[in-house]
Amino acid sequence: MPTSSTSFEVLPSNQPTAGSIRDNILANPGFGKYFTDHMVNVRWTVDAGWHGHQVRPYGPLTLDPAASVLHYGQEIFEGIKAYRHADGSVWTFRPEKNAERFRRSARRLALPELTDEDFIGSIKALLAQDHTWVPTPSSDTDECSLYLRPFMIASEAFLGVRPAHEVDYYVIASPAASYFKGGISPVSIWLSSHYKRAAAGGTGFAKCGGNYAASLAAQKEAESHGCGQVVFLDAAESKWIEELGGMNLFFVFKDGRLVTPRLTDTILEGVTRNSVLTLAKDEGLTPEERPISIDEWREGAASGEITEVFACGTAAVITPVGELVTEDERIRLNGDGGNEVAMRIRKKLLDVQYGRSEDKHGWLTQLV
Ligand code: COI
């Protein structure tokens, strides 16, 4: 990938949020509800390539109603966080993995690739303006952060179906607490027997809005059954566990194996998933990436072979799964380990992200 380092023009907001209002928000940010004072924008055109790198005041976009993203959904995004360490410095976690996935998603959606330098540079440029929006954790279990949302849209006004000739890249930032309202209490998962998220050759491995839009009907179904998330099975056989739509899944076996579905082009490669595989090895567990069927979940839960199930993602961090709910059964785990493995790996991960333990894998990048 060609690389180039570009500086960002800064147009400061002349109406920044008052410090007292910002502090109130940071004390209880929820997830995805509040946004910082600035955003990044970089434009791309067929003729000029990427240009016009800017940090400018956060605000509504002016978009032609014919912009092709509004009609054909040519869009991709990322999720990455900024963490405040005890000495006040601000860091992010494995941004090169997100940059690489963003390029992979761009290729699948026929969007232009952004260099890793521009991807990471855009985050640094935004944080240089908005670092006061990064919350300070109140304890070692507090997972507050500044959630960053880089995204790219086809902004060309054109109704023909072809890759857009004009594209915009943005980064917005939102102070965040736990993704789930209940914090880290175990989540119930609905098994979607009808809806599928992805099929071979499709966009399942890409982080594009369409995948998430397609998961919403199943999510509504889950909520109507009292569940917080949905697990999707493969489209070909309705047998193999894929992912939750916005999170990857892990299964803890009583003999120390930690199993997660092997990556295919129907599963998103999570940065947290990848990090859990490494941390598990450090913890003496035996990670396994392989196909795992819904029957293995059912039988492993009944026999006690599977002692824990957990979901992971940038937004969700690591969240224990309490039960699997289907049309005719509720599958609970017989193990009584109190999600010990999930909580141990979660602590390891958070300790690295917040600078409380040695970053022995070189995962952190300083932003401020
Ligand atoms: C993330 O974890 O960053 C995501 O994009 C998933 C979404 C459920 C917020």
Side-chain angles (χ1 to χ4, degrees), residues 31 77-81 101 147-149 179 207 212 229 245-247 268 272 312-317:
F31 184 87
F77 68 95
E78 271 303 322
I80 182 167
K81 285 174 170 173
R101 186 173 65 187
Y147 183 79
L148 304 163
R149 175 49 63 86
Y179 181 73
K207 205 161 171 68
Y212 293 74
Q229 287 291 309
M247 289 155 224
L268 187 89
T272 311
C312 70
T314 298
V317 194

Side-chain angles (χ1 to χ4, degrees), residues 51-250:
H51 61 278
H53 299 59
Q54 270 188 352
V55 179
R56 64 171 204 242
Y58 182 91
L61 307 180
T62 302
L63 209 55
D64 194 291
S68 54
V69 64
L70 301 176
H71 305 272
Y72 310 125
Q74 201 190 1
E75 185 267 358
I76 57 171
F77 68 95
E78 271 303 322
I80 182 167
K81 285 174 170 173
Y83 308 90
R84 190 175 294 286
H85 288 191
D87 65 359
S89 58
V90 176
W91 301 71
T92 193
F93 185 73
R94 309 188 76 184
E96 58 292 332
K97 294 286 284 177
N98 295 83
E100 194 263 325
R101 186 173 65 187
F102 200 53
R103 286 192 278 107
R104 212 179 321 140
S105 301
R107 286 197 291 279
R108 180 61 185 87
L109 273 289
L111 283 161
E113 291 180 47
L114 191 73
T115 63
D116 292 10
E117 282 69 19
D118 272 352
F119 183 89
I120 296 169
S122 67
I123 289 171
K124 287 186 173 164
L126 183 57
L127 264 292
Q129 296 309 303
D130 285 350
H131 57 88
T132 52
W133 284 90
V134 183
T136 302
S138 57
S139 70
D140 285 7
T141 52
D142 184 351
E143 57 184 79
C144 66
S145 65
L146 184 65
Y147 183 79
L148 304 163
R149 175 49 63 86
F151 63 103
M152 194 191 290
I153 59 170
S155 42
E156 184 187 8
F158 178 67
L159 292 184
V161 182
R162 60 147 171 76
H165 293 172
E166 290 169 29
V167 166
D168 277 275
Y169 166 72
Y170 297 93
V171 189
I172 56 173
S174 176
S178 167
Y179 181 73
F180 291 105
K181 279 203 195 85
I184 48 170
S185 59
V187 61
S188 296
I189 306 274
W190 170 248
L191 173 64
S192 176
S193 49
H194 173 65
Y195 295 110
K196 296 288 179 284
R197 174 184 170 274
T203 58
F205 69 91
K207 205 161 171 68
C208 63
N211 290 341
Y212 293 74
S215 75
L216 296 178
Q219 180 68 25
K220 261 176 80 175
E221 199 180 73
E223 279 160 22
S224 73
H225 288 86
C227 295
Q229 287 291 309
V230 190
V231 59
F232 291 97
L233 300 182
D234 73 293
E237 295 180 74
S238 255
K239 171 175 180 183
W240 305 105
I241 295 162
E242 298 212 313
E243 56 156 272
L244 299 190
M247 289 155 224
N248 296 115
L249 270 181
F250 278 89

Side-chain angles (χ1 to χ4, degrees), residues 259-342:
V259 178
T260 192
R262 178 170 49 86
L263 293 176
T264 62
D265 64 356
T266 55
I267 296 179
L268 187 89
E269 181 177 1
V271 178
T272 311
R273 173 190 181 280
N274 183 282
S275 310
V276 166
L277 287 170
T278 300
L279 293 175
K281 230 184 261 165
D282 295 350
E283 284 294 289
L285 296 161
T286 310
E288 267 181 24
E289 296 176 79
R290 63 163 170 87
I292 176 162
S293 69
I294 195 69
D295 287 341
E296 188 175 350
W297 185 344
R298 187 181 284 113
E299 287 155 18
S303 69
E305 275 298 302
I306 298 178
T307 52
E308 294 177 40
V309 181
F310 63 85
C312 70
T314 298
V317 194
I318 288 175
T319 302
V321 171
E323 59 177 355
L324 176 69
V325 182
T326 74
E327 287 290 355
D328 29 51
E329 57 187 332
R330 298 185 96 86
I331 301 166
R332 281 179 198 219
L333 295 169
N334 283 340
D336 57 1
N339 296 301
E340 184 269 327
V341 173

